[in-house]
Structure formats: structure tokens, C-alpha cells
Amino acid sequence: MEFEAVIGLEIHIELNCPTKMFCDCPNDPGAAPNANTCPICLWFPGAIPQFSQAALEKAALLCLALGGELQPRSAFDQKVYYYPDLPKGYQLSQAHHPLSRGGGIDIADEDGARKRLRIHHIHMEEDVAKLVHELEGRTPISLVDFNRAGAPLVEIVTEPDLRTPHHAMEFLKVLRTQGRYAGASECSMENGTMRVDANISVRPRGTEQMNTKVEVKNMNSIRHVGDAIAYEIGRQSAAVQAGEAVVLHTRLWDPDKKATFPMRAKFEGPCIPDPAAPVIELSPAWIETMRSRLPEMPAPRAERFVSRYGLAGEEATYLSADPELAAYFEALIEAGIAPRTAMHWLTTQLAPALKDRGRELGNSPVTPRRLAALLHLLSRDEINAQAAREVLAALFESDADPEEIVRSRGFRQVSDRDALGELIDKVLEANQTAVNDYRNGQDKAMGFIIGQVMQASRGKANPKIIREILATKLTSGR
Amino acid sequence: METIFAYLPPRTDPLADGAPPGLRTAIQPCLSVAGWPTDAGAPALADYAALEDATVVSRLRQAGATLVGLTRTGEFGFGLTGSQAGMAVRSGAADLELVVDLAGESRLAAARAGIWGFKPSWGTVSRFGVIGLIPSMECCGILAGDAPPIGEFLRAAAGPDERDFSLPDEEAPDLSGGRVAAGETTVGVVVEALDALPSPAREAFRASLATLTAAGFALREVSLPDFPLFALVHQIVGAVEASSSAGRYDSVRYGRRSPGAKNWNEMYLLSRGAAFGTLLKSYLFQGAYFQFEAYEAYENACRIRARLLAAMAAATSQADFLVLPATNPAAPAKAATPEDIYAQSRFTAFANVTGQPALYLPPPSGEDRPGWQLTGPRRSDARLLAAGEHLRGILQGGE
Ligand SMILES: [Zn+2]
């Protein structure tokens, strides 16, 4: 029997707000343990949650970026369970009235065809504290760090539209891009700002039934999500084939063993409306204001890069996946650089140079303005490509303008025909064998001769003019 | 004094030179006073000292009030058992007492002490720093010997507070009162509330209303057929809210942790087992029951609550204010169970369910007649207080 999987994802995204969701504590879980706490997030008696406008705005931007429909009225509920990571004894979440309904993400499936993966809803939620288990002598102790308690989260719940690990991984990649574009979150599974649970069930291919699902947690990269889903599909298919029933439970992915293992479930009760947190009412005008704050999204941006700048589809998708990279590219175009040159220098020169130096585009000393100045020198033939690469390296070391670096380090290209003519005569004289080879029809000897001239000019000769002069001098005797 | 107060500060706040002495205010330890043992009368908060003043407390201080001490209270101020609410005013030790009103405690304590008791509208007075149990129903209640200290309290403490979102931030409540006069003012009598009174209390209450007619007020019968449902809805919704509010008392961040636990679960069971008294435990169990085992009943209670709000709005629109009894002579004097508390609160719980203001007006001293509970629509607090003052004049034969 052939099986197909039915997969739904539940994705928690930590919003990059300056403060927590219901208090003014810094949203910085990495600080010294319990440094970022107050009577509200520690839930002292008499505290009242103060809902963060910034959290609402970031969450709304993300919902809009994912095509969700912001609800005019949403409200918080209490997800009750008792665990030391939960100061209230319940987690504030939106179970009955989520912030947004609907939306979805378009991915390319295994055959390259466009596939729509729908989102059921998106709701806001507060994060819980972090538990650290240690030994004090021989006594096991548990420590609680409340820095993360109350950090603003959204949870994205998909429809069970996904069928394969590929779908899940592509969904998460696009989601990450959209989240970054919306400015809502870095969406990094590695850093824990995006956490993914997958609900997986299997059924005979071609049937429509919905079977008992198993929830899989603890994947900390997009790749692991794919691996865990693939493993779980295999495990469940084998179980069903062996006549075993799949029971509803939760499993943890073990990346070392590359397998999932059952975990003890936390007790969870029904959600009751929270009487203390405010009800959220959004006016159409406010929603439109948020929409207008949303930048152009990656898919339309990629299309525009193709139609306006003539980039290949793949190049356009690559550039637009990263909002900073795309903005950098457009800044170069704005500064008068040809799209192809901009694309080429960004991907083959600047990106590796940044990587070598462990830097990001956002904090690069090579600003679009400085790179554009350099590329202008190149296009005006004032320097050659070799010199341009060296100037780029120099831009990382000093604040000087490219013009100044070219001047002070003598990178200016020699385009003086008389001076080059003299230099070439000397080189031809010293390389008679190559000259004869060329005249006897061995074209590649030309490359060697040009190399020799460049070397003699210490890299400063204009290769275009060398070619022209050589063409005249050598064809005369061919 | 020790019978009334659980805590007296070493020295009362010194008065500023030449300044008139402010309201001497006794506080129930369900309202936070920075540095004072505001333990809400609960073992869960034994040894707890508040970090900050409740907004009502800090505003009273700013207005020149003197805090005289913390009064004795039952667990979390729920019901009057173990509570000395009203006694500080009655004994003359204070001009004003602040208590938490969860189901009618301020009005019932006032009736017990023969003084004035006022529950403001939900959203009129900040709840910041109120150690409560039932967030959607509770608020700071005020006890005083007469109307003026209550008015003074409202002028000092009511109005927007950025630390309590439930207060409308656009406007302070209108505290100017309003005209109450015989011949112009209609008093609504809630028929079903009277029907719920056992005889002969019912006849006595009806007879007391004759004073109003004699003074020239139009009396109008107002019908609220679902009146008995107020207390029922309060019990279901209140118990569920209390159960989740009490979830914070897990001994992880504060409160007493019981020794000997081998794991989290045991720590929870032992510490929470010691944190609550028997009556409160029953109430929390009821809440947990409705939440986990009878969720539909809870949902129904929420729906009925919305219906009751509409019915009450219709009733209050038929008169300038409504009058009804405050105490239930059929209820046990001492509450041992949540059911006893709800029997005691039969005539007061409605205002906590709807969030409307309610005032207990005591009979003139020495007279053997029932006190009146007055109520009006939400945010009619000042008008209600003005009506109370006017009626007091009539009752004392001053008009
Ligand atoms: Zn905080």
C-alpha cells in the first residue's frame, strides 16, 4: 500500500519588539538570569497586564505579510496548565478569537509547480520562562529564568495542506523571508526565534480520510523539520502496514539519532476568556495604516527585478529573499550602476568579502554609496577589474573614498596609447617565441602576451587598449 | 484595636505643618500598601509585603489622607467571615475604610456596622494593586460614616490610570452629582428582589419605602424576572476566575514553599494545599470543576451574564435609580462554604456581575428599619451618591 502524509505546522515566532508583551521589561531573554523581570511578568498580586502596542503592530504586520485577514475584534484566553515556567498558572493566548484568520504561502513543489499552502489562523501569545536543570552537589535542582516569560510571540497554524517534507521546508523558508520583510522577526530556528511543531498523519494515497495525528517537536533547523517529518512518515506508514494503530501523542526529534521519541504530554485544560487582558479592537483605518507600512513583498519584488532590470528569475529570487540585500541592490541601481554589474558585484565580490570578514550587509563599511563610486571608476575605465577588487578590499580597512584610494595607491589605469605602445614594444621584443607562435596561428599566445604586458604595467594597463594596440602590431606580420 | 486591626504602623504618617488633617483611612490588606504586610488575609501570602501602593492608596496619600492601619479580613476579602470591615469607622478609629468588593462585601459590611458602603462602577477606580480573585467583578469598595468621605475618596482616587487599562482613558468620571428632588425623581423598586426576601422582612422593606412616597418621590415597580440568576452567574464565573487567579500562588516566585517535596508536582500539591483555607479551597475546586469538567455550564453562565447586563440596563432606564434590599435575613450569619457566601450576597452580587455602582444607605441610628441598597447604570456613581445624601436628609426628617 502506498501512503501519503497529511501535515500541518504550528509555528511560534518571537517578535523582535523592544519590550515584553504585557510589561515594559526589555525583550532580551539572553540577559543575566531574571534581570528582565518586574511585578507584572512575575505576576505579583495586584499586577495588571499592560498590553504592548509595539507587539500588536509587529504581529499585525506579520499577519498582513502572510495574507491574513486581521480580525476587528480579538481577545486573550487563558491556556491553563501548572508548570513552574508559567508565572500565572496559565498562558495568555488567543484561543477563541485570534488576531488574524486565513492567508497562506505560495511555494514551488517538487516539480517546480506553484502550490498554495493555506494558513488557518495567526494568534498572539506570551512566551513562558526557561527552566534550567542542574546538580547542586548531588542534588538535582531546577532553576527558573523569567527573562523570557511574557516575551511577545505569534503562533501561525496552517491548514493540513502539506504532504511532504519538501512542502514543510519550503513553507518555512518563505515564511522566514516574509517575517524578515515585515520587520517582525528574524525567524531563525537556530536562534530559537522560530519554533516549529509538526502534526503528521498518514493515509493510503488517494483517500481523503483524516487519521490520528502525531505531534513532533524539538527541531532546530529547517533541515531538521524535513528530516523529522520524513522519519515520522516512515515510522507511521510502517506501523499502519504492520496493523498497529497510531495513537494521539507528542514526540521529540533527536537530531543525533535521527529519530523521534515519545514524550510525556503536559496537562492542558480548556481555554477560558481572560478577564484581565484587554480586548483588541482594530479599526479598518488602523489596519490600512499597517498595510501601508508593509514594504513590497519578496514575490512581487522578484517579478519587478526580472521585468525592470532584466535579471534572471533565479537571480531575482535570490536577491529578493533578503530584504537588506534587495535594498542594497536597488540602492546601487539608484546610484546609476547597471543592473547586471550590480548583481555581479554583489553576489561574486561583496557577499564573499563580507563572509570572509564575518560581517553582515547591515553593518558593512562598504555602503551602497561607496561601492557605487568604485563601480563608476570601473565603468569609466579609470581602473581595471583587478584594481577594483583590490580597492574593494581597501574599502573594508579605511573610511576613504574609492577615488582617494585609487589615487593614493596608484591604481589608476594607464590608458595613454604612447606610453602603452612603448611598453608593448619592449614586451614583444622580450617574447619573440610567443609572437611567432601567434603569427603562426596559435591564438592562445595572445593571452600570454597580454598577461606579460599587464605584469609589466604592474596591473595598471587598460586591457582594452592593450588589445587594440596588440591587434595592430601583431596582425601586421601575420 | 487589635480586634479590628491586623497591622498598625509604628507611627502614623506625620501631618504636614498647618495642613488640615486628611481622611484617616483604614485599609483592608487586600489593597497594596508599599512595605506593609498586605497579605489579603491569606496563608498564600503569609509574610508578603507589597512592593508598591495600589493606585487608590497612592492617590489618597497625595490628597493628604492618613493611613491608620490594616484591618482584619477573611481570605482574600471574600465574604465577611473573619472580617472586621466597617468596625474601624464604626469605632471612630477611621473616617474611611477601603475593602475589596467581590460579591457585595462593602455593602454587607456597611449593613453590619450601620454605616455607608459604596461599590463604584467597574472602571471608575483603578484596580492596580488590588489583590483580587475575580478580576471581571471585583473593585475597591468604600466604607464611611456618611456620604462626604466617599465623595472625597472618589474625587481623589477615581479616573484614568495608565496602569489599569479597564479605565476609559479619554475622560474622568463625572463627579458633579446631579439633581435629586421630590416631584422630579422616580425611584424604581425591583419586584423580584423584594419577592426573594422572606416574610416579614419583605413587608418591613415595603413599609420603609413609604417614606419615599410621603416625601413626594414617584415609586415605580421595575421587573427583573431573572434577578435570582445574578448570584448563580456570579458563583460560576467568579469561581472559574478565582481558580485561575489563584494559579499564581505556586510558591515558585513568592509565598511559602512547603518542605519535603521530591518534584514539581509534589511541591505544587504541598504548597498549594497549605496556601488556602477550607472555604476558599471549595470555591477554587468549584472553579476548576466548571473549567475542566463542566465547561459548557461556564459558557452558558457567560452568555446569561450578557443577557443579565441587558436586562439590568433596561431596568435602570425606567427610573432615576433603583432601590432594593442589601442583606438576606435567611442567610447564615457565618459563612462556612461558598454557598453560605452566596446566600449572604443574594441581593448584592448583581452589581459585581454588571459592573454598576451600588450604595448601602443605613437607616437613621436607633431606628428599627431596613437599610436601602441604591443602584443606577454604570458610571452614575456621583448621581447615586447625591441621591443617597438627599434620602438621608429625608430619613432624618431634615427635608
Ligand atoms: Zn516585566
Side-chain angles (χ1 to χ4, degrees):
Chain A
M1 195 190 300
E2 215 188 322
F3 289 96
E4 88 173 343
V6 178
I7 305 159
L9 301 178
E10 292 172 9
I11 303 138
H12 283 95
I13 289 179
E14 191 120 22
L15 300 172
N16 57 7
C17 304
T19 62
K20 294 187 183 183
M21 198 163 214
F22 293 105
C23 64
D24 290 334
C25 287
N27 178 23
D28 176 15
N34 296 307
N36 296 329
T37 57
C38 73
I40 297 178
C41 55
L42 291 177
W43 206 226
F44 273 58
I48 297 178
Q50 293 177 289
F51 185 52
S52 152
Q53 182 73 17
L56 175 63
E57 289 181 5
K58 294 263 178 182
L61 285 171
L62 184 61
C63 293
L64 292 171
L66 297 173
E69 196 180 320
L70 288 173
Q71 302 296 295
R73 188 174 180 282
S74 65
F76 285 95
D77 299 288
Q78 304 175 346
K79 208 193 239 178
V80 176
Y81 66 91
Y82 290 111
Y83 207 63
D85 64 1
L86 209 50
K88 299 182 177 74
Y90 53 83
Q91 184 182 18
L92 287 177
S93 179
Q94 298 183 304
H96 300 300
H97 303 285
L99 179 64
S100 167
R101 292 182 193 273
I105 277 178
D106 290 326
I107 60 150
D109 73 8
E110 285 87 339
D111 309 323
R114 182 174 159 281
K115 183 172 171 68
R116 178 79 170 162
L117 301 171
R118 293 169 302 156
I119 291 170
H120 181 266
H121 75 264
I122 303 173
H123 66 254
M124 289 183 283
E125 197 166 274
E126 57 173 351
D127 210 342
V128 300
K130 200 173 101 187
L131 290 178
V132 183
H133 304 285
E134 286 183 358
L135 278 179
E136 201 172 59
R138 284 195 199 148
T139 316
I141 56 162
S142 297
L143 303 169
V144 199
D145 177 1
F146 288 93
N147 281 349
R148 207 179 62 184
L153 296 177
V154 293
E155 183 175 350
I156 297 161
V157 180
T158 73
E159 296 280 3
D161 285 354
L162 297 75
R163 295 288 171 269
T164 66
H166 172 85
H167 289 168
M169 291 193 291
E170 288 305 304
F171 182 94
L172 294 173
K173 285 180 200 161
V174 178
L175 174 61
R176 182 176 59 190
T177 303
Q178 307 280 95
R180 290 177 182 176
Y181 259 77
S185 173
E186 156 208 30
C187 296
S188 158
M189 288 192 72
E190 288 78 2
N191 297 340
T193 51
M194 182 158 96
R195 308 196 280 267
V196 180
D197 301 337
N199 291 304
I200 304 154
S201 64
V202 296
R203 65 186 177 197
R205 191 176 295 282
T207 60
E208 285 299 314
Q209 75 219 50
M210 293 297 232
N211 290 330
T212 306
K213 65 186 181 183
V214 170
E215 184 182 34
V216 182
K217 291 173 177 289
N218 198 41
M219 294 79 82
N220 38 32
S221 72
I222 292 180
R223 171 125 291 277
H224 283 176
V225 174
D227 291 348
I229 292 175
Y231 174 86
E232 191 55 24
I233 294 172
R235 191 191 67 82
Q236 287 185 31
S237 305
V240 173
Q241 217 130 27
E244 294 165 26
V246 173
V247 287
L248 184 74
H249 71 299
T250 302
R251 300 177 76 86
L252 289 181
W253 169 248
D254 183 329
D256 298 324
K257 300 201 174 82
K258 294 206 174 299
T260 62
F261 296 95
M263 70 175 277
R264 221 180 57 188
K266 267 186 218 165
F267 166 77
E268 251 180 53
C271 291
I272 62 161
D274 182 74
V279 167
I280 297 160
E281 282 172 357
L282 304 182
S283 69
W286 188 86
I287 293 173
E288 282 322 302
T289 309
M290 283 299 115
R291 207 186 296 282
S292 70
R293 271 176 44 185
L294 215 54
E296 182 186 27
M297 284 290 121
R301 193 173 214 175
E303 277 169 36
R304 190 166 57 81
F305 283 2
V306 171
S307 62
R308 190 185 295 176
Y309 305 131
L311 296 189
E314 228 167 66
E315 295 171 333
T317 305
Y318 169 77
L319 282 184
S320 57
D322 178 347
E324 279 186 353
L325 187 63
Y328 198 108
F329 170 74
E330 295 219 87
L332 289 179
I333 308 267
E334 193 112 310
I337 305 302
R340 291 234 57 83
T341 310
M343 168 72 204
H344 177 74
W345 274 79
L346 262 182
T347 52
T348 66
Q349 301 298 329
L350 184 62
L354 285 167
K355 203 172 167 213
D356 286 349
R357 291 164 176 79
R359 307 194 75 136
E360 306 275 338
L361 204 54
N363 62 17
S364 164
V366 185
T367 59
R369 194 189 57 78
R370 296 179 88 205
L371 183 58
L374 170 62
L375 295 178
H376 278 303
L377 292 173
L378 180 67
S379 68
R380 289 199 301 263
D381 279 342
E382 289 179 33
I383 54 173
N384 60 35
Q386 173 55 33
R389 281 192 283 275
E390 287 183 40
V391 175
L392 176 63
L395 287 177
F396 278 98
E397 264 82 66
S398 88
D399 296 336
D401 285 338
E403 291 85 350
E404 203 182 310
I405 293 169
V406 166
R407 202 178 317 120
S408 65
R409 304 213 190 167
F411 281 131
R412 194 165 295 279
Q413 190 159 244
V414 179
S415 304
D416 177 338
R417 283 172 189 276
D418 293 344
L420 281 179
E422 263 173 51
L423 193 71
I424 285 169
D425 285 343
K426 277 185 199 152
V427 169
L428 293 182
E429 218 173 288
N431 293 282
Q432 276 304 320
T433 326
V435 171
N436 291 336
D437 285 351
Y438 181 75
R439 288 190 170 138
N440 292 331
Q442 287 188 33
D443 286 353
K444 52 176 192 193
M446 176 63 112
F448 173 77
I449 296 166
I450 294 175
Q452 292 301 308
V453 177
M454 286 301 283
Q455 210 166 39
S457 76
R458 279 175 300 160
K460 283 186 266 179
N462 182 334
K464 223 162 75 192
I465 296 176
I466 302 176
R467 254 177 236 281
E468 282 171 26
I469 298 176
L470 277 177
T472 335
K473 287 191 190 280
L474 293 178
T475 39
S476 56
R478 199 172 179 174
Chain B
M1 290 292 263
E2 285 79 44
T3 54
I4 298 175
F5 289 97
Y7 172 80
L8 290 164
R11 245 189 5 224
T12 50
D13 293 356
L15 295 176
D17 277 343
L23 289 173
R24 293 169 307 137
T25 306
I27 313 266
Q28 192 185 43
C30 302
L31 295 119
S32 304
V33 180
W36 284 18
T38 41
D39 62 6
L45 283 171
D47 309 327
Y48 177 82
L51 301 173
E52 284 180 276
D53 279 348
T55 298
V56 287
V57 171
S58 62
R59 288 187 179 173
L60 272 182
R61 281 197 211 254
Q62 272 161 26
T66 305
L67 306 188
V68 298
L70 299 175
T71 58
R72 293 195 182 278
T73 178
E75 216 173 347
F76 292 111
F78 184 45
L80 292 188
T81 301
S83 160
Q84 289 289 317
M87 297 308 163
V89 166
R90 184 189 158 110
S91 69
D95 306 312
L96 191 74
E97 281 186 59
L98 301 186
V99 299
V100 63
D101 191 314
L102 299 152
E105 287 81 353
S106 63
R107 291 150 281 161
L108 295 171
R112 184 176 68 178
I115 58 176
W116 291 55
F118 184 65
K119 181 202 100 66
S121 296
W122 200 85
T124 294
V125 174
S126 171
R127 288 180 307 119
F128 174 77
V130 176
I131 300 170
L133 268 186
I134 314 177
S136 79
M137 306 211 199
E138 69 209 5
C139 70
C140 170
I142 306 116
L143 302 170
D146 202 349
I150 301 176
E152 219 175 303
F153 168 84
L154 285 178
R155 280 188 294 280
D161 176 11
E162 59 177 19
R163 305 176 85 170
D164 180 358
F165 76 92
S166 64
L167 281 76
D169 47 24
E170 70 277 9
E171 44 166 339
D174 176 12
L175 298 177
S176 57
R179 199 172 141 75
V180 179
E184 292 175 20
T185 305
T186 307
V187 182
V189 182
V190 182
V191 182
E192 290 78 6
L194 257 62
D195 289 349
L197 265 185
S199 222
R202 189 191 312 153
E203 290 72 29
F205 194 86
R206 276 203 183 279
S208 76
L209 297 177
T211 320
L212 289 172
T213 330
F217 283 92
L219 275 191
R220 176 173 185 177
E221 296 216 325
V222 168
S223 177
L224 264 172
D226 285 337
F227 188 80
L229 291 181
F230 279 107
L232 189 63
V233 163
H234 190 296
Q235 184 166 5
I236 296 173
V237 176
V240 169
E241 286 189 19
S243 166
S244 62
S245 290
R248 76 182 84 206
Y249 303 113
D250 59 7
S251 77
V252 173
R253 300 164 322 288
Y254 47 82
R256 217 174 267 165
R257 186 176 303 171
S258 296
K262 289 190 203 68
N263 54 45
W264 285 121
N265 264 339
E266 273 187 38
M267 188 190 89
Y268 270 72
L269 290 171
L270 291 171
S271 300
R272 285 174 64 77
F276 307 114
T278 312
L279 188 151
L280 200 75
K281 270 183 192 159
S282 325
Y283 195 50
L284 301 183
F285 277 136
Q286 289 180 2
Y289 170 77
F290 284 116
Q291 188 172 351
F292 297 113
E293 304 292 335
Y295 189 73
E296 218 173 295
Y298 165 74
E299 282 186 308
N300 283 335
C302 291
R303 265 193 289 275
I304 295 171
R305 185 180 187 180
R307 200 175 82 204
L308 290 174
L309 245 78
M312 181 55 88
T316 51
S317 71
Q318 292 172 41
D320 291 291
F321 55 88
L322 304 180
V323 63
L324 62 168
T327 53
N328 178 11
K334 244 183 118 166
T337 65
E339 283 61 40
D340 294 345
I341 288 186
Y342 280 100
Q344 293 173 339
S345 314
R346 178 171 298 165
F347 300 105
T348 52
F350 74 92
N352 301 80
V353 170
T354 61
Q356 68 197 107
L359 171 70
Y360 177 79
L361 184 62
S365 56
E367 283 189 31
D368 182 24
R369 49 189 295 167
W372 289 338
Q373 185 180 199
L374 309 179
T375 191
R378 208 166 87 81
R379 291 174 74 75
S380 67
D381 302 48
R383 195 148 52 88
L384 203 58
L385 209 52
E389 264 193 287
H390 190 87
L391 297 187
R392 181 213 40 203
I394 293 172
L395 286 171
Q396 291 174 344
E399 189 105 343

